[in-house]
Amino acid sequence: IAEHARESAPNECCGILLAAREDAGTVTAVLRADNAEEQAPTRRYLIDHRTQLTALDLEIEGQAETAGYYHSHPAGGADPSPMDVEQAVPDTVYLICGMARATPEFAAWRLAGEELVAQPIGVAHGNADET
Protein backbone atom coordinates (compact mmCIF):
# COMPACT_ATOMS: atom_id res chain seq x y z
CA ILE A 1 0.00 0.00 0.00
CA ALA A 2 2.86 2.38 0.81
CA GLU A 3 4.45 1.59 -2.55
CA HIS A 4 1.13 2.33 -4.26
CA ALA A 5 0.94 5.62 -2.37
CA ARG A 6 4.47 6.59 -3.44
CA GLU A 7 3.73 5.75 -7.07
CA SER A 8 0.47 7.72 -7.06
CA ALA A 9 1.78 10.90 -5.39
CA PRO A 10 0.86 13.70 -5.48
CA ASN A 11 -2.57 12.08 -6.00
CA GLU A 12 -4.24 9.85 -3.44
CA CYS A 13 -4.02 6.14 -4.15
CA CYS A 14 -6.90 3.82 -3.33
CA GLY A 15 -7.90 0.19 -3.35
CA ILE A 16 -9.88 -2.62 -1.82
CA LEU A 17 -8.85 -4.76 1.15
CA LEU A 18 -9.65 -8.45 0.64
CA ALA A 19 -10.08 -11.21 3.20
CA ALA A 20 -10.71 -14.93 3.09
CA ARG A 21 -14.41 -15.69 3.37
CA GLU A 22 -13.77 -17.63 6.61
CA ASP A 23 -12.03 -14.70 8.31
CA ALA A 24 -13.31 -11.32 7.12
CA GLY A 25 -11.30 -9.59 9.86
CA THR A 26 -7.92 -10.56 8.43
CA VAL A 27 -6.83 -8.87 5.23
CA THR A 28 -5.03 -11.34 2.98
CA ALA A 29 -4.67 -9.28 -0.22
CA VAL A 30 -5.27 -5.88 -1.72
CA LEU A 31 -6.69 -4.84 -5.07
CA ARG A 32 -5.02 -1.69 -6.32
CA ALA A 33 -7.47 0.67 -7.94
CA ASP A 34 -7.11 3.62 -10.23
CA ASN A 35 -8.20 6.85 -8.55
CA ALA A 36 -11.13 7.84 -10.76
CA GLU A 37 -11.61 11.17 -8.94
CA GLU A 38 -11.30 13.81 -11.66
CA GLN A 39 -11.76 17.13 -9.84
CA ALA A 40 -9.44 16.85 -6.84
CA PRO A 41 -7.38 13.60 -6.93
CA THR A 42 -4.76 15.13 -4.62
CA ARG A 43 -7.38 15.41 -1.85
CA ARG A 44 -10.02 12.78 -2.71
CA TYR A 45 -10.31 9.31 -4.11
CA LEU A 46 -12.87 7.32 -6.07
CA ILE A 47 -12.28 3.62 -6.69
CA ASP A 48 -12.66 2.88 -10.39
CA HIS A 49 -15.54 0.65 -11.53
CA ARG A 50 -13.25 -2.03 -13.01
CA THR A 51 -11.69 -2.74 -9.60
CA GLN A 52 -15.08 -2.74 -7.89
CA LEU A 53 -16.32 -5.34 -10.39
CA THR A 54 -13.21 -7.47 -9.87
CA ALA A 55 -13.84 -7.51 -6.11
CA LEU A 56 -17.49 -8.41 -6.70
CA ASP A 57 -16.48 -11.27 -9.02
CA LEU A 58 -14.11 -12.62 -6.34
CA GLU A 59 -16.94 -12.52 -3.80
CA ILE A 60 -19.38 -14.26 -6.14
CA GLU A 61 -16.79 -16.97 -6.90
CA GLY A 62 -16.21 -17.47 -3.16
CA GLN A 63 -12.51 -16.59 -3.47
CA ALA A 64 -12.48 -13.51 -1.22
CA GLU A 65 -14.60 -11.04 0.64
CA THR A 66 -14.29 -7.27 0.71
CA ALA A 67 -12.93 -6.38 4.16
CA GLY A 68 -12.67 -2.65 3.57
CA TYR A 69 -10.91 0.03 1.58
CA TYR A 70 -7.64 1.91 1.66
CA HIS A 71 -6.38 5.24 0.47
CA SER A 72 -3.45 7.55 1.03
CA HIS A 73 -2.96 11.06 2.30
CA PRO A 74 0.04 12.10 0.15
CA ALA A 75 0.95 15.14 2.27
CA GLY A 76 -0.78 14.24 5.52
CA GLY A 77 -1.04 11.78 8.33
CA ALA A 78 -3.23 8.71 8.78
CA ASP A 79 -6.06 10.56 10.53
CA PRO A 80 -9.33 10.79 8.60
CA SER A 81 -10.16 14.03 6.84
CA PRO A 82 -13.62 15.62 7.10
CA MET A 83 -14.29 14.21 3.60
CA ASP A 84 -13.32 10.70 4.81
CA VAL A 85 -15.84 10.99 7.66
CA GLU A 86 -18.54 12.35 5.38
CA GLN A 87 -18.20 9.50 2.86
CA ALA A 88 -17.82 6.64 5.36
CA VAL A 89 -20.48 3.95 5.61
CA PRO A 90 -21.24 1.71 8.62
CA ASP A 91 -19.58 -1.70 9.08
CA THR A 92 -16.70 -0.81 6.78
CA VAL A 93 -13.01 -0.55 7.61
CA TYR A 94 -10.97 2.26 6.07
CA LEU A 95 -7.19 1.99 6.14
CA ILE A 96 -5.39 5.29 5.64
CA CYS A 97 -1.73 5.52 4.68
CA GLY A 98 -0.23 8.85 5.75
CA MET A 99 2.78 9.87 3.68
CA ALA A 100 3.79 13.16 5.34
CA ARG A 101 6.77 11.59 7.13
CA ALA A 102 9.76 9.62 5.84
CA THR A 103 8.15 6.42 7.14
CA PRO A 104 4.53 5.87 6.08
CA GLU A 105 2.03 5.63 8.91
CA PHE A 106 -1.08 3.48 8.86
CA ALA A 107 -4.32 3.69 10.80
CA ALA A 108 -7.62 1.84 10.40
CA TRP A 109 -10.99 3.44 11.06
CA ARG A 110 -14.64 2.37 11.32
CA LEU A 111 -17.73 4.57 11.41
CA ALA A 112 -19.37 4.75 14.85
CA GLY A 113 -22.30 7.13 14.91
CA GLU A 114 -21.11 10.19 13.05
CA GLU A 115 -17.37 9.79 13.57
CA LEU A 116 -14.61 7.44 12.49
CA VAL A 117 -13.16 5.51 15.42
CA ALA A 118 -9.66 4.01 15.37
CA GLN A 119 -9.46 0.25 14.98
CA PRO A 120 -6.58 -1.97 16.08
CA ILE A 121 -4.34 -3.24 13.30
CA GLY A 122 -1.52 -5.73 13.26
CA VAL A 123 0.75 -7.31 10.71
CA ALA A 124 1.36 -11.04 10.49
CA HIS A 125 4.67 -12.15 9.04
CA GLY A 126 4.91 -15.60 7.48
CA ASN A 127 3.78 -18.87 8.94
CA ALA A 128 3.45 -19.06 12.74
CA ASP A 129 5.30 -22.41 12.61
CA GLU A 130 8.40 -20.87 11.01
CA THR A 131 11.38 -20.10 13.20
Side-chain angles (χ1 to χ4, degrees), residues 7-30:
E7 292 170 3
S8 298
N11 294 337
E12 289 193 4
C13 75
C14 56
I16 300 174
L17 305 169
L18 299 175
R21 195 168 282 280
E22 318 73 64
D23 184 7
T26 301
V27 174
T28 56
V30 298

Side-chain angles (χ1 to χ4, degrees), residues 1-84:
I1 293 172
E3 181 179 322
H4 189 194
R6 284 186 195 99
E7 292 170 3
S8 298
N11 294 337
E12 289 193 4
C13 75
C14 56
I16 300 174
L17 305 169
L18 299 175
R21 195 168 282 280
E22 318 73 64
D23 184 7
T26 301
V27 174
T28 56
V30 298
L31 279 179
R32 283 185 176 208
D34 290 331
N35 185 349
E37 169 60 41
E38 295 179 359
Q39 295 184 355
T42 61
R43 295 181 292 115
R44 296 185 191 147
Y45 72 97
L46 178 64
I47 295 174
D48 70 278
H49 296 301
R50 184 185 72 245
T51 305
Q52 292 177 19
L53 290 173
T54 298
L56 183 59
D57 285 343
L58 290 170
E59 287 191 28
I60 290 169
E61 295 167 3
Q63 295 181 28
E65 186 170 311
T66 297
Y69 303 92
Y70 74 86
H71 73 281
S72 64
H73 287 170
D79 290 332
S81 69
M83 179 68 67
D84 294 335

Side-chain angles (χ1 to χ4, degrees), residues 45 69 84-94 109-113 115-116:
Y45 72 97
Y69 303 92
D84 294 335
V85 176
E86 182 180 310
Q87 293 183 339
V89 295
D91 300 321
T92 303
V93 171
Y94 297 92
W109 306 89
R110 185 183 299 268
L111 188 66
E115 65 181 13
L116 287 173

